[in-house]
Coordinates of all heavy atoms in Angstrom, one line a residue:
C13 N 0.8 -1.2 0.0 CA 0.0 0.0 0.0 C 0.9 1.3 0.0 O 0.4 2.3 -0.3 CB -0.9 0.0 1.2 SG -2.3 -1.2 1.1
A14 N 2.1 1.1 0.4 CA 3.0 2.3 0.3 C 3.5 2.6 -1.1 O 4.0 3.7 -1.3 CB 4.2 2.0 1.2
L15 N 3.3 1.7 -2.0 CA 3.6 2.0 -3.4 C 2.7 3.0 -4.0 O 1.5 2.8 -4.1 CB 3.5 0.7 -4.3 CG 4.5 -0.4 -3.9 CD1 4.1 -1.7 -4.7 CD2 5.9 0.0 -4.2
E16 N 3.2 4.1 -4.4 CA 2.4 5.2 -4.9 C 1.7 4.9 -6.3 O 0.7 5.5 -6.6 CB 3.2 6.5 -5.0 CG 3.7 7.0 -3.7 CD 4.5 8.3 -3.8 OE1 4.7 8.8 -4.9 OE2 4.8 8.9 -2.7
N17 N 2.3 4.0 -7.0 CA 1.8 3.7 -8.3 C 0.8 2.5 -8.4 O 0.2 2.2 -9.4 CB 3.0 3.3 -9.3 CG 3.7 2.1 -8.8 OD1 3.9 1.9 -7.6 ND2 4.3 1.3 -9.7
A18 N 0.6 1.9 -7.2 CA -0.2 0.6 -7.2 C -1.7 0.9 -6.8 O -2.0 1.7 -5.9 CB 0.3 -0.4 -6.2
I19 N -2.6 0.3 -7.5 CA -4.0 0.2 -7.1 C -4.2 -1.1 -6.4 O -4.0 -2.2 -6.9 CB -5.0 0.3 -8.3 CG1 -4.8 1.6 -9.1 CG2 -6.4 0.1 -7.8 CD1 -5.1 2.8 -8.3
V20 N -4.5 -1.0 -5.1 CA -4.6 -2.2 -4.3 C -6.1 -2.4 -4.0 O -6.8 -1.5 -3.4 CB -3.9 -2.1 -2.9 CG1 -4.0 -3.4 -2.1 CG2 -2.4 -1.8 -3.2
R21 N -6.7 -3.5 -4.5 CA -8.1 -3.8 -4.4 C -8.3 -5.1 -3.7 O -8.2 -6.2 -4.3 CB -8.8 -3.8 -5.7 CG -8.7 -2.5 -6.5 CD -9.5 -2.7 -7.8 NE -10.9 -2.9 -7.6 CZ -11.6 -3.6 -8.4 NH1 -11.1 -4.3 -9.4 NH2 -12.9 -3.8 -8.2
P22 N -8.4 -5.2 -2.4 CA -8.6 -6.4 -1.7 C -9.9 -7.1 -2.1 O -10.9 -6.5 -2.3 CB -8.7 -6.0 -0.2 CG -9.1 -4.6 -0.2 CD -8.5 -4.0 -1.5
G23 N -9.8 -8.4 -2.3 CA -11.0 -9.2 -2.7 C -11.4 -10.1 -1.5 O -10.6 -10.8 -1.0
I24 N -12.6 -10.0 -1.1 CA -13.2 -10.8 0.0 C -14.1 -11.8 -0.6 O -15.1 -11.5 -1.2 CB -13.9 -9.9 1.0 CG1 -13.0 -8.8 1.5 CG2 -14.5 -10.7 2.1 CD1 -13.8 -7.7 2.3
T25 N -13.7 -13.1 -0.5 CA -14.6 -14.2 -0.9 C -15.6 -14.5 0.2 O -15.2 -14.9 1.3 CB -13.8 -15.4 -1.3 OG1 -12.9 -15.1 -2.4 CG2 -14.7 -16.6 -1.7
V26 N -16.9 -14.3 -0.1 CA -17.9 -14.4 0.9 C -18.6 -15.7 0.9 O -19.1 -16.2 -0.1 CB -19.0 -13.3 0.6 CG1 -20.0 -13.3 1.8 CG2 -18.3 -11.9 0.5
G27 N -18.5 -16.3 2.1 CA -19.2 -17.6 2.3 C -19.9 -17.6 3.7 O -20.0 -16.6 4.4
A28 N -20.3 -18.8 4.1 CA -21.1 -18.9 5.3 C -20.3 -18.4 6.5 O -20.9 -17.9 7.5 CB -21.6 -20.4 5.5
W29 N -19.0 -18.7 6.5 CA -18.2 -18.4 7.7 C -17.8 -17.0 7.9 O -17.3 -16.6 8.9 CB -16.9 -19.3 7.7 CG -16.3 -19.4 6.3 CD1 -16.0 -18.4 5.4 CD2 -15.8 -20.6 5.8 NE1 -15.4 -18.9 4.3 CE2 -15.3 -20.3 4.5 CE3 -15.7 -21.9 6.2 CZ2 -14.7 -21.2 3.7 CZ3 -15.2 -22.9 5.3 CH2 -14.7 -22.5 4.1
N30 N -18.0 -16.1 6.9 CA -17.6 -14.7 7.1 C -18.6 -13.7 6.7 O -18.4 -12.5 6.9 CB -16.3 -14.4 6.3 CG -16.4 -14.5 4.8 OD1 -17.4 -15.0 4.3 ND2 -15.4 -14.1 4.1
V31 N -19.8 -14.1 6.2 CA -20.8 -13.1 5.7 C -21.3 -12.3 6.8 O -21.6 -11.1 6.6 CB -21.9 -13.8 5.0 CG1 -22.8 -14.7 5.9 CG2 -22.8 -12.8 4.2
Q32 N -21.4 -12.8 8.0 CA -21.9 -12.1 9.2 C -20.9 -11.0 9.6 O -21.3 -10.1 10.3 CB -22.3 -13.0 10.3 CG -23.3 -14.0 10.0 CD -23.6 -15.0 11.1 OE1 -24.1 -14.6 12.2 NE2 -23.2 -16.3 11.0
R33 N -19.7 -11.2 9.3 CA -18.6 -10.3 9.8 C -18.1 -9.4 8.7 O -17.0 -8.7 8.9 CB -17.5 -11.2 10.3 CG -17.8 -11.8 11.6 CD -16.6 -12.6 12.2 NE -15.3 -12.1 11.9 CZ -14.6 -11.2 12.6 NH1 -15.2 -10.7 13.7 NH2 -13.4 -10.8 12.3
L34 N -18.8 -9.2 7.6 CA -18.3 -8.3 6.6 C -18.1 -6.9 7.2 O -17.0 -6.2 6.8 CB -19.2 -8.3 5.4 CG -19.2 -9.5 4.5 CD1 -20.2 -9.4 3.4 CD2 -17.8 -9.7 3.9
P35 N -18.9 -6.3 8.0 CA -18.7 -5.0 8.5 C -17.4 -5.0 9.3 O -16.6 -4.0 9.2 CB -19.9 -4.8 9.4 CG -21.0 -5.6 8.8 CD -20.3 -6.8 8.3
E36 N -17.1 -6.0 10.1 CA -15.9 -6.0 11.0 C -14.7 -6.1 10.1 O -13.6 -5.5 10.3 CB -16.0 -7.1 12.0 CG -17.0 -6.9 13.1 CD -18.4 -7.3 12.7 OE1 -18.6 -7.7 11.6 OE2 -19.3 -7.3 13.6
I37 N -14.7 -7.0 9.1 CA -13.6 -7.2 8.2 C -13.3 -5.9 7.4 O -12.1 -5.5 7.4 CB -13.9 -8.3 7.2 CG1 -14.0 -9.7 7.9 CG2 -12.7 -8.4 6.2 CD1 -14.6 -10.8 7.1
I38 N -14.3 -5.3 6.8 CA -14.1 -4.1 6.1 C -13.6 -2.9 7.0 O -12.7 -2.2 6.6 CB -15.4 -3.7 5.3 CG1 -15.7 -4.7 4.3 CG2 -15.3 -2.3 4.7 CD1 -17.1 -4.6 3.7
T39 N -14.1 -2.8 8.2 CA -13.7 -1.8 9.1 C -12.2 -1.9 9.4 O -11.5 -0.9 9.5 CB -14.6 -1.8 10.4 OG1 -15.9 -1.6 10.0 CG2 -14.1 -0.8 11.4
E40 N -11.8 -3.2 9.6 CA -10.4 -3.4 10.0 C -9.5 -3.1 8.8 O -8.4 -2.5 8.9 CB -10.2 -4.8 10.4 CG -8.7 -5.2 10.7 CD -8.1 -4.4 11.8 OE1 -8.8 -3.7 12.5 OE2 -6.8 -4.5 12.0
L41 N -9.9 -3.4 7.6 CA -9.1 -3.1 6.4 C -9.1 -1.6 6.1 O -8.1 -1.1 5.6 CB -9.7 -3.8 5.1 CG -9.6 -5.3 5.2 CD1 -10.2 -6.0 3.9 CD2 -8.1 -5.8 5.3
V42 N -10.1 -0.9 6.5 CA -10.1 0.6 6.5 C -9.0 1.1 7.5 O -8.2 2.0 7.2 CB -11.5 1.2 6.8 CG1 -11.4 2.7 7.0 CG2 -12.4 0.9 5.7
R43 N -9.1 0.5 8.7 CA -8.1 1.0 9.7 C -6.7 0.7 9.3 O -5.8 1.6 9.5 CB -8.4 0.2 11.0 CG -7.6 0.7 12.2 CD -7.6 -0.2 13.4 NE -6.9 -1.4 13.2 CZ -5.6 -1.5 13.3 NH1 -4.8 -0.5 13.7 NH2 -5.0 -2.7 13.2
L44 N -6.4 -0.4 8.5 CA -5.1 -0.7 8.0 C -4.8 0.1 6.8 O -3.7 0.0 6.2 CB -5.0 -2.2 7.7 CG -5.1 -3.1 8.9 CD1 -5.2 -4.6 8.4 CD2 -3.8 -3.0 9.8
K45 N -5.7 0.9 6.3 CA -5.5 1.8 5.1 C -5.4 1.0 3.9 O -4.7 1.4 2.9 CB -4.4 2.8 5.3 CG -4.6 3.7 6.5 CD -3.5 4.7 6.6 CE -3.7 5.7 7.8 NZ -2.6 6.6 8.0
V46 N -5.9 -0.3 3.9 CA -5.9 -1.1 2.7 C -7.2 -0.7 1.8 O -7.1 -0.5 0.6 CB -6.0 -2.6 3.0 CG1 -6.0 -3.4 1.8 CG2 -4.8 -3.0 3.9
I47 N -8.3 -0.5 2.5 CA -9.4 0.1 1.8 C -9.4 1.6 2.1 O -9.3 2.0 3.2 CB -10.8 -0.5 2.4 CG1 -10.9 -1.9 2.0 CG2 -12.0 0.3 1.8 CD1 -12.1 -2.6 2.5
R48 N -9.3 2.4 1.0 CA -9.1 3.8 1.2 C -9.8 4.6 0.1 O -10.3 4.1 -0.9 CB -7.6 4.1 1.2 CG -6.8 3.4 0.1 CD -5.3 3.6 0.4 NE -4.6 2.8 -0.6 CZ -3.3 2.8 -0.7 NH1 -2.6 3.6 0.1 NH2 -2.7 2.1 -1.6
H49 N -9.8 5.9 0.2 CA -10.4 6.8 -0.7 C -9.7 6.9 -2.0 O -8.4 7.0 -2.0 CB -10.6 8.2 -0.2 CG -11.7 8.4 0.8 ND1 -11.5 8.5 2.1 CD2 -13.0 8.6 0.6 CE1 -12.6 8.7 2.8 NE2 -13.5 8.7 1.9

């Protein structure tokens, strides 16, 4: 993510074991600045 030239687009594969936690997962990736403006 420190690479200024890179577009980093995390892919979340959604299944039974993580669908309930999508808000928590996305929120953490925002905190890590992986998901960003």
